């Protein structure tokens, strides 16, 4: 009996440990098939565009400026969980914002400095998108500075002392409706300074790393106390100096690409047993941190929209970085199910849309060889197929 249960348990483990099949890997059985053929088709065209995205609810709030003068500004709105009544009549000794670094891309040599400025118009995490104009929403005067002498290493906490007069006015706006509303803080690189891109923990992250506002004060009775505010909402906006000219994806800036393939010549009765999409990266123009998964996502294109994130999850595939036999950096995707849907007209062939997998939490850029590149690096799909 003991051996019976041991054997049963072993079979159970083997059954549970079996790897799931790849998407499209079991579309059509190979029984009763007289022959399998292969063919490689190359991309018929491509384009690159920016997508309007809501960057709220990410786990990394980005800020920085690249060597190409591309800028990201993070927004924070602290919401006190209790009233400011205890600060009425108190003297504000110091006020400080504390942020924890959880991402970095090509950060420059120290000191790395960011200005804190007051946000001057209403915004919400759910409504502010990546392309929202910041020029009308951010004050021109710095009310604090983050300055790190360690290039803002991962896990480090950086601090900026904030003008107490600004905090006092914010406190008064809670008590006096005639006082102008306060809309939070913007963190952006100093004017003209290249910082690289830094990511900070958000209110959606682990509680020990939330953005924090610390107010130290002396009450009207002469006792010293402090208030810590670690709840609120945050997001970021991104500015590109010029539209992207090359075939690429650029996380954080919402740059995506579209890739077209012509399958009109294929018989609609064709059975796809495998379809591998291969993209080759231009390593000299690619920017990666090594801190997030090195993966791209490919979606079925839909006519009239580029908002691919609203589509069914059955219509996409992941491609991870690898190296081919010639030493090229490539990304490969199993797109069997997607191509089969084109051939049988289940989905209209509007091509693929590509994006960086960790688009919201990082600013990685992958430049890809396009449909006009040398044939050895051109986007291609290798098909394994048969006729019914």
């Amino acid at each position: 009996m003991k051996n019976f249960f041991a054997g049963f348990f072993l079979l159970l483990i083997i059954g549970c440990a079996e790897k799931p099949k790849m998407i499209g890997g079991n579309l059509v059985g190979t029984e009763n098939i007289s022959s399998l053929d292969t063919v490689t088709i190359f991309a018929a065209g491509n384009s690159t565009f920016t997508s309007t995205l809501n960057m709220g609810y990410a786990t990394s709030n980005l800020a920085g400026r690249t060597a190409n003068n591309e800028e990201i500004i993070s927004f924070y709105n602290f919401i006190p969980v209790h009233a400011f009544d205890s600060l009425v009549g108190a003297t504000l000794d110091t006020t400080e914002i504390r942020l924890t670094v959880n991402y970095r891309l090509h950060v420059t040599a120290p000191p790395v400095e960011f200005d804190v400025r007051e946000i001057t118009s209403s915004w919400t995490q759910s409504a502010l998108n990546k392309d929202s104009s910041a020029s009308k929403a951010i004050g021109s005067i710095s009310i604090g500075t983050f300055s790190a002498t360690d290039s803002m290493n991962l896990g480090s906490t950086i601090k900026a002392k904030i003008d107490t007069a600004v905090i006092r006015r914010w406190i008064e706006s809670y008590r006096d409706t005639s006082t102008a509303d306060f809309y939070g803080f913007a963190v952006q690189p100093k004017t003209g300074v290249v910082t690289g891109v830094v990511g900070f923990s958000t209110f959606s992250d682990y509680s020990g790393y939330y953005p924090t506002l610390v107010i130290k004060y002396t009450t009207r009775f002469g006792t010293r106390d402090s208030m810590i505010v670690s709840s609120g909402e945050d997001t970021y906006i991104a500015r590109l100096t010029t539209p992207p000219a090359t075939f690429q994806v650029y996380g954080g800036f919402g740059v995506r690409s579209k890739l077209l393939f012509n399958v009109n010549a294929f018989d609609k009765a064709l059975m796809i047993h495998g379809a591998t999409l291969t993209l080759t990266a231009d390593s000299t123009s690619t920017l990666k941190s090594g801190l997030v998964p090195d993966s791209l996502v490919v979606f079925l294109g839909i006519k009239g929209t580029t908002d691919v994130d609203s589509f069914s999850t059955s219509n996409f595939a992941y491609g991870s970085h690898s190296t081919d036999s010639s030493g090229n950096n490539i990304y490969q995707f199993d797109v069997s199910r997607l191509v089969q849907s084109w051939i049988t007209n289940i989905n209209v062939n509007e091509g693929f849309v590509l994006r960086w997998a960790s688009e919201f939490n990082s600013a990685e850029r992958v430049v890809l060889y396009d449909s006009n590149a040398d044939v050895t690096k051109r986007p291609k799909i290798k098909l394994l197929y048969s006729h019914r």
Side-chain angles (χ1 to χ4, degrees):
M1 181 64 70
K2 181 177 180 181
N3 291 336
F4 169 78
F5 282 113
F8 175 78
F9 185 65
L10 179 61
L11 288 173
L12 181 63
I13 292 176
I14 293 173
C16 293
E18 183 180 359
K19 294 182 179 179
K21 294 181 174 61
M22 295 291 289
I23 293 176
N26 195 30
L27 287 175
V28 182
T30 56
E31 64 276 5
N32 301 320
I33 294 177
S34 57
S35 65
L36 291 172
D37 294 310
T38 61
V39 66
T40 297
I41 58 175
F42 294 93
N46 56 263
S47 59
T48 300
F49 58 92
T50 58
S51 184
T52 299
L53 303 172
N54 182 317
M55 297 304 194
Y57 312 105
T59 57
S60 190
N61 210 22
L62 305 182
R65 184 180 292 111
T66 70
N68 294 328
N69 203 33
E70 299 157 336
E71 186 178 57
I72 304 181
I73 304 171
S74 59
F75 280 35
Y76 299 89
N77 186 20
F78 290 91
I79 302 174
V81 294
H82 47 78
F84 277 144
D85 292 345
S86 57
L87 298 178
V88 174
T91 300
L92 303 187
D93 300 321
T94 60
T95 57
E96 185 177 79
I97 294 177
R98 299 176 182 178
L99 302 175
T100 302
V101 178
N102 67 358
Y103 172 80
R104 39 183 285 121
L105 174 68
H106 288 207
V107 178
T108 55
V112 183
E113 295 185 318
F114 292 85
D115 276 335
V116 181
R117 300 187 182 186
E118 183 180 344
I119 300 173
T120 56
S121 61
S122 178
W123 64 280
T124 63
Q125 188 176 43
S126 59
L128 190 70
N129 63 55
K130 171 190 66 64
D131 299 310
S132 297
S133 173
S135 59
K136 299 178 180 178
I138 299 175
S140 59
I141 301 174
S142 175
I143 59 174
T145 301
F146 287 104
S147 181
T149 58
D150 61 357
S151 290
M152 298 200 175
N153 294 329
L154 291 175
S156 62
T157 298
I158 61 171
K159 304 174 182 179
K161 292 189 182 300
I162 306 302
D163 184 350
T164 55
V166 174
I167 303 299
R168 170 60 66 189
R169 181 164 50 79
W170 177 32
I171 294 170
E172 291 301 319
S173 71
Y174 271 84
R175 301 177 57 251
D176 184 355
T177 56
S178 65
T179 304
D181 289 335
F182 188 83
Y183 300 109
F185 307 91
V187 176
Q188 63 182 106
K190 284 186 172 294
T191 302
V193 176
V194 174
T195 58
V197 179
V198 179
F200 304 109
S201 296
T202 70
F203 293 113
S204 301
D205 209 336
Y206 298 108
S207 59
Y209 302 103
Y210 286 164
T212 303
L213 173 67
V214 179
I215 302 173
K216 295 181 179 181
Y217 61 96
T218 302
T219 69
R220 60 181 181 273
F221 304 109
T223 57
R224 302 192 67 182
D225 205 342
S226 63
M227 175 181 293
I228 297 176
V229 183
S230 57
S231 61
E233 55 183 353
D234 49 45
T235 188
Y236 64 88
I237 61 175
R239 295 168 169 170
L240 286 171
T241 51
T242 58
T246 56
F247 183 42
Q248 64 176 276
V249 296
Y250 200 173
F253 290 92
V255 175
R256 298 175 173 183
S257 287
K258 194 168 187 177
L259 188 60
L260 301 175
F261 286 91
N262 188 349
V263 296
N264 293 337
F266 290 103
D267 187 340
K268 296 188 185 306
L270 205 70
M271 295 186 294
I272 301 298
H273 301 279
T276 302
L277 169 66
T278 301
L279 304 176
T280 304
D282 178 1
S283 301
T284 59
S285 302
T286 292
L287 299 174
K288 291 186 289 189
S289 67
L291 299 175
V292 293
D294 190 357
S295 302
L296 305 181
V297 179
V298 59
F299 289 84
L300 281 178
I302 301 294
K303 187 174 183 179
T305 180
T306 56
D307 186 16
V308 295
D309 293 313
S310 65
F311 300 161
S312 168
T313 55
S314 64
N315 292 336
F316 72 84
Y318 284 97
S320 298
H321 172 263
S322 61
T323 305
D324 66 12
S325 58
S326 300
N328 295 314
N329 291 303
I330 62 172
Y331 294 85
Q332 290 190 311
F333 311 75
D334 182 351
V335 292
S336 306
R337 187 183 301 276
L338 282 61
V339 173
Q340 182 76 75
S341 73
W342 286 343
I343 292 174
T344 57
N345 282 336
I346 294 175
N347 289 302
V348 176
N349 181 4
E350 292 288 338
F352 295 126
V353 175
L354 303 168
R355 70 166 174 85
W356 178 245
S358 185
E359 184 174 48
F360 290 77
N361 299 312
S362 64
E364 321 284 300
R365 180 176 70 194
V366 178
V367 178
L368 302 161
Y369 287 98
D370 64 16
S371 57
N372 294 315
D374 180 83
V375 69
T376 60
K377 297 179 180 179
R378 197 175 302 170
K380 62 187 176 182
I381 298 176
K382 184 175 181 180
L383 296 176
L384 176 66
Y385 67 95
S386 67
H387 294 277
R388 299 182 190 276

